[in-house]
Structures are given as structure tokens and as C-alpha cells.
Amino acid sequence: MEKPFLLMLPGPTMIPEEVLEAGRRQMISHRGKAFAEMFRRVQEGLRTFFGTQQEVFLLSTSGTGAMEAAVVNVLSPGDRVLAVEIGVFGKRFGKIAAAFGAEVDRISFDYGEAADPERVGVQVREGGPYRAVLMTFNETSTGVTNDLPALCRAIRAAQEDVLILVDGISAVGALPTEMDAWGIDVLVSGAQKAWMSPPGAAFIALSERAWAAAETARMPRFYLDLRTYRTYAQRGQTPYTPPISVVYALDVALARMQAEGREAIFARHAELGAYTRQQVRELGLSILAKDPARASNTVTAIRMPEGVDAEAVRARVLAEENVALAGGQQDLKGKIVRIGHMGAVEKAHIDRALAALKAALEAEAKA
Ligand SMILES: *Cc1c(COP(=O)(O)O)cnc(C)c1O
């Protein structure tokens, strides 16, 4: 008999049964009272995990759509911005800004490293002034979590009025996040990561400073113009048809998250992250994240031994054990295997994934 499928990607993540069930309900009017009530509940739930008093808006896009919304709502062509790059997703943020005409400076760190707050602060002080700094909270491509509060402090100290835009797609909902207290101006996330929901919705919140910038920003925007979303949210609506099935799912997922509690969720992810890393080391494998203190609690990137093709290992894990692991992206393809452990993940899942990885590595060694 075929083994049950186990999805261990850093997004999309596994969806609990009751959340899946919620997603199959009949459609309702997105302009009616029932939708408005659900929409407001979802906004409230998201807000708790964003750590903000601001409203959180829902976009019918994947996470990247929300990154684009972050850029086009507060920037103008010709604005000088700094992209802090520690992996693929940090680079993407800079590319989006460049595509809309920003002048992008880049500060890059090696794969496996977190951004050094001091170096970033110096770059802002000496290379600036910048209109914005673009950063990844948790770099999913390398399994590294940036020290976001320290980065925000260093950036603010270097330039008080700079906008801080953060891709929190694989962090918010799993890692402690305080948008307001840390001084983040734009924060985004996506349904298919820690929120245990299907892909198709992304979330974004703006600080007062960012809303002021949105009034004068001149990058082209229509579908993603957040001023329209703000107007419609007053009625418990989105301006355009929302992904109603995803909102059903999110409503149930967020109720589960509220029941478990913010602190308990953060503690569970911290424990699962540490457990995964410990088990990986016991297999004699090394972790891409260089500083153990900055290793991600939502995704672990594992280096393959010299001469072992990560893609062959992954294919074997799927074929033999029916477990889906993620590979490396771009330069890291073939070199690493990534295990997602955000959302509805339990120790037993990690044990099964790592047992499958161990068996595949042994088989590859013989092949
Ligand atoms: C998954 C992810 C993205 C991309 O999200 P899509 O939903 O695929 O557009 C961007 N940034 C980070 C940090 C991610 O983990």
C-alpha cells in the first residue's frame, strides 16, 4: 500500500482537515453581511500575529503580489532604495523595485548568513539617504532568520525617515513579530505559509508613515492600490472579488491559531526548529545557516554531502517514501534540501521526513 503523502515544503504547507473542509463550502456574496463578518474576523486574527494596531489587508495574489504592493504603494520612480539580500527572496524584493523604476543599491551577504545590522546601518548612513530599505524577515531559500528588531534599530538610527519594507511571508504567524514596536513600515505575508491555508491570498499592513508615503507615491498601481482596499475594508469588503474559499479556510485556521495562542505557537515553532536541527546534525549532515542563533525556526536548509546530488535525493524521498521536500533555488539547486516546519507541523512529521532523507542518502551512496 502506498504510504500517506507528507508535504514538508516551506510553502505551500500542510492544511489541517477542518481547514480543508472549510474551504469546500458553497460561495456566498462578497458584498453581503456574512462575508463582511468573516472578513473582519480574519483581519483581526491577522493583526494579532502582525503585532500591529494598523489594519491588515487581504490581496488575491500570492506572496510576491504583496511584495509588489509594498513597493508600488510607497515608492516613486527614481527613488533610491537599499535591498538587503541574504538569499533568493531578498533579491526578488530588489528586482521588483527596479522593475518599477527605483534606483536599487544592494547589500549582499553570503548564503547561510544573516544580515549584519551594523553593516546595514553603515550602508544606510554612508550610502544614503534612501527612500526605503527592503528586507526579508525569514529567508526561505537559505533557512536564515534576520535579526529584524536589531536591523530596524540600526536603520532608524542611521536615517530616521527611511521606510522599512519587510517580506515576512515565511515568518509572520510562526515567529514573534512586532510590526509597530520594531518600527516596520510595510509588512507582508502569505496564506500558504504559517497560516496553514491554501495559496491565493496575501496580507499587507502599512504604518502611518507608509500611508503618508502612499499619498504621494508615483509608481503605477491600480489593482494593488491599497487606498482602494482601505476604503472597501470599512464595509468589510475587498474592492475586487476575494478568494472566498481561501478566506473560509483562513477563518478556521486563525480560530485554531487563536485557540493555541500566540506565545504557544511561537514556542512550538522554536522547539520544532531546534529539534529539526539537532536531528539533522545527528545524521551527520550540516546546516546551511552559519550562526545557530539565526537558524530559522520555520525552514531548515540542509547541505548535501560532497558529490551527492540533492535533486536525486529529493526524487528518491518522494518515490520511496511519498514525502515532498524542497530543493535549493538558483545557485543552491542540487546542493541543499530544505524541510519546511511551519504551520500544522508536528515532531512525528519531522521524524518521518528525516528518516526518509536518511534512507535516500544511504541508497544514493550505494548507487
Ligand atoms: C514563499 C515566499 C515568497 C514567495 O511567495 P509566493 O507566494 O510564491 O509569491 C516570498 N518571500 C518569502 C520569504 C517566501 O517564503
Side-chain angles (χ1 to χ4, degrees):
M1 216 187 73
E2 199 173 43
K3 292 168 181 154
F5 180 58
L6 179 64
L7 182 73
M8 294 295 283
L9 308 182
T13 62
M14 281 181 294
I15 302 178
E17 206 56 45
E18 62 171 325
V19 178
L20 277 178
E21 274 300 312
R24 68 171 295 288
R25 272 167 28 207
Q26 187 54 268
M27 292 301 104
I28 54 173
S29 166
H30 59 298
R31 304 291 179 215
K33 193 160 166 278
F35 182 83
E37 279 171 13
M38 174 170 66
F39 184 73
R40 292 206 170 99
R41 259 197 319 272
V42 166
Q43 278 193 302
E44 257 329 286
L46 292 168
R47 204 146 81 129
T48 316
F49 290 92
F50 270 63
T52 185
Q53 293 300 312
Q54 301 293 335
E55 235 180 327
V56 181
F57 299 94
L58 184 145
L59 310 172
S60 323
T61 66
S62 81
T64 307
M67 293 167 76
E68 182 163 319
V71 167
V72 300
N73 277 279
V74 300
L75 296 176
S76 301
D79 275 351
R80 297 192 61 232
V81 306
L82 177 66
V84 179
E85 303 179 340
I86 68 165
V88 170
F89 293 109
K91 287 183 184 158
R92 183 179 296 179
F93 222 170
K95 282 184 196 164
I96 295 170
F100 284 92
E103 271 186 49
V104 183
D105 277 1
R106 295 180 167 84
I107 179 165
S108 301
F109 296 86
D110 289 344
Y111 288 135
E113 277 179 20
D116 174 5
E118 198 178 312
R119 266 186 62 197
V120 173
V122 168
Q123 177 61 37
V124 173
R125 191 171 289 114
E126 293 175 1
Y130 291 110
R131 183 65 179 124
V133 178
L134 280 44
M135 307 190 273
T136 318
F137 187 167
N138 181 78
E139 181 50 70
T140 318
S141 66
T142 59
V144 173
T145 305
N146 271 321
D147 187 348
L148 209 53
L151 282 161
C152 290
R153 273 196 305 274
I155 292 163
R156 247 342 134 217
Q159 190 193 328
E160 175 73 32
D161 66 349
V162 71
L163 294 162
I164 300 179
L165 277 49
V166 174
D167 167 1
I169 294 174
S170 62
V172 188
L175 308 181
T177 307
E178 296 294 343
M179 175 176 168
D180 295 351
W182 297 346
I184 297 170
D185 292 300
V186 185
L187 181 62
V188 307
S189 189
Q192 81 277 24
K193 305 272 169 136
W195 312 95
M196 314 179 274
S197 294
F203 321 124
I204 185 164
L206 268 62
S207 70
E208 293 301 329
R209 187 190 281 111
W211 279 117
E215 293 306 325
T216 56
R218 284 178 289 98
M219 281 185 183
R221 56 186 147 151
F222 180 82
Y223 184 68
L224 296 175
D225 190 335
L226 293 172
R227 294 169 298 182
T228 322
Y229 287 78
R230 187 170 52 177
T231 304
Y232 276 79
Q234 288 168 4
R235 290 172 239 158
Q237 295 180 13
T238 53
Y240 319 108
T241 314
I244 295 172
S245 306
V246 181
V247 182
Y248 285 151
L250 275 167
D251 191 25
V252 172
L254 285 163
R256 277 174 72 106
M257 290 171 76
Q258 301 288 15
E260 185 177 356
R262 241 171 70 108
E263 300 312 316
I265 288 173
F266 301 155
R268 178 167 57 82
H269 282 87
E271 197 185 320
L272 284 175
Y275 179 73
T276 306
R277 294 188 292 277
Q278 179 219 325
Q279 295 297 308
V280 165
R281 279 187 221 103
E282 280 183 19
L283 290 179
L285 297 169
S286 68
I287 288 160
L288 185 64
K290 285 183 189 143
D291 176 359
R294 302 261 48 96
S296 168
N297 286 331
T298 59
V299 52
T300 297
I302 307 165
R303 279 181 198 278
M304 289 297 99
E306 205 54 46
V308 174
D309 176 16
E311 292 309 291
V313 170
R314 249 167 27 88
R316 208 180 268 278
V317 166
L318 186 61
E320 306 284 325
E321 300 295 332
N322 211 12
V323 175
L325 303 178
Q329 293 156 282
Q330 299 176 10
D331 303 343
L332 289 169
K333 197 166 184 77
K335 298 192 178 124
I336 59 166
V337 162
R338 293 175 301 145
I339 298 188
H341 34 84
M342 68 186 103
V345 178
E346 295 160 18
K347 262 190 184 143
H349 299 139
I350 292 168
D351 288 339
R352 194 178 149 207
L354 290 177
L357 179 63
K358 180 172 186 261
L361 278 167
E362 284 165 2
E364 277 297 305
K366 286 188 201 125

